[in-house]
Amino acid sequence: MRFEAGIGNIADAVGLGAAIDYLDRAGMENVTRHEVGLLDYGTTALQRVPGLRIIGTAREKVGVLSFIQDIDALVAALRRLPAATVAHE
């Protein structure tokens, strides 16, 4: 850093410290349990979408859901729904 212009990114360091403090207070076991619950909920919901294929189905994975959607299947499924259902959601 001796020859770099400017100062270090202090805001990011402060933000990271605050995030670590928050996670420590919440408890990582609670955070992990919540993340797994959200992942299970999202996976179950996405599995019901016609023409959608979830990418990455490892048993122990991070809380990220990647997917590929067949747009023709989605459009066909939406057309089968009552108009009030589509407008409401």
Side-chain angles (χ1 to χ4, degrees):
M1 288 201 47
R2 184 171 140 183
F3 299 109
E4 292 183 20
I7 60 172
N9 190 345
I10 296 170
D12 282 354
V14 171
L16 177 61
I20 290 170
D21 289 344
Y22 174 81
L23 292 173
D24 281 342
R25 283 193 309 276
M28 284 308 295
E29 288 180 13
N30 294 328
V31 172
T32 300
R33 186 173 31 258
H34 185 68
E35 179 184 18
V36 169
L38 289 173
L39 183 61
D40 289 344
Y41 174 80
T43 300
T44 300
L46 288 176
Q47 287 172 336
R48 294 191 305 253
V49 176
L52 187 138
R53 182 168 59 97
I54 296 175
I55 307 298
T57 56
R59 189 165 191 261
E60 298 288 327
K61 64 181 239 171
V62 298
V64 175
L65 287 168
S66 299
F67 58 89
I68 296 173
Q69 174 64 54
D70 175 1
I71 194 68
D72 294 329
L74 178 62
V75 169
L78 289 174
R79 285 185 177 149
R80 288 191 298 270
L81 292 175
T85 304
V86 176
H88 180 345
E89 293 180 9

